[in-house]
Amino acid sequence: QVQLVESGGGLVQAGGSLTLSCSASGRAFSSYAMGWFRQAPGKERELVAAISWSGGSTNYGDAVKGRFRISRDNAKNMVYLQMNSLKPEDTAVHYCAAAVKPYSVQSGDYKYWGQGTQVTVSS
């Protein structure tokens, strides 16, 4: 069982930056792929970024490539999402999730989810 708690969301102006953090419980954290997903009102949930168990592989959604960076610290059971050059269309609830496999970009593989943190970007 893994419990995930996100933090770091908030209100920021377009062009600004935010860093989201995800704290994970559970001894097996270092063996799980981790991902950040987001869902805006009226839209489907989408992958923002994913990282493999070791941090050696990453993947980004097309909308955030070149602006966001995912990282993890297995010693601290933490995952981060550095978000730069934020745009109003980045406004959404952002979720941290864990997949019970070494790496995945498929949302269906992610079995554990946090409660989400709101990111709002004003124009």
Side-chain angles (χ1 to χ4, degrees):
Q1 188 74 13
V2 177
Q3 291 186 329
L4 304 171
V5 179
E6 304 97 335
S7 62
L11 174 64
V12 64
Q13 289 187 334
S17 298
L18 279 177
T19 298
L20 303 184
S21 299
C22 175
S23 176
S25 65
R27 297 179 180 179
F29 170 81
S30 60
S31 65
Y32 294 163
M34 297 297 297
W36 287 97
F37 294 79
R38 69 186 183 186
Q39 187 166 22
K43 295 188 177 181
E44 293 187 355
R45 185 174 60 195
E46 64 175 348
L47 174 70
V48 176
I51 188 166
S52 64
W53 68 277
S54 66
S57 297
T58 58
N59 185 278
Y60 297 90
D62 290 340
V64 307
K65 283 180 181 176
R67 299 188 297 123
F68 291 11
R69 181 177 179 271
I70 189 171
S71 61
R72 66 188 297 163
D73 185 337
N74 286 343
K76 296 181 178 179
N77 279 21
M78 295 291 295
V79 181
Y80 306 98
L81 183 69
Q82 174 67 43
M83 305 184 294
N84 300 318
S85 301
L86 283 161
K87 304 175 181 181
E89 50 264 44
D90 293 318
T91 295
V93 178
H94 286 64
Y95 298 91
C96 174
V100 189
K101 56 190 344 181
Y103 184 54
S104 176
V105 297
Q106 302 299 322
S107 63
D109 288 332
Y110 286 80
K111 303 304 182 185
Y112 303 104
W113 294 81
Q115 81 288 352
T117 185
Q118 177 70 44
V119 172
T120 302
V121 184
S122 64
S123 58

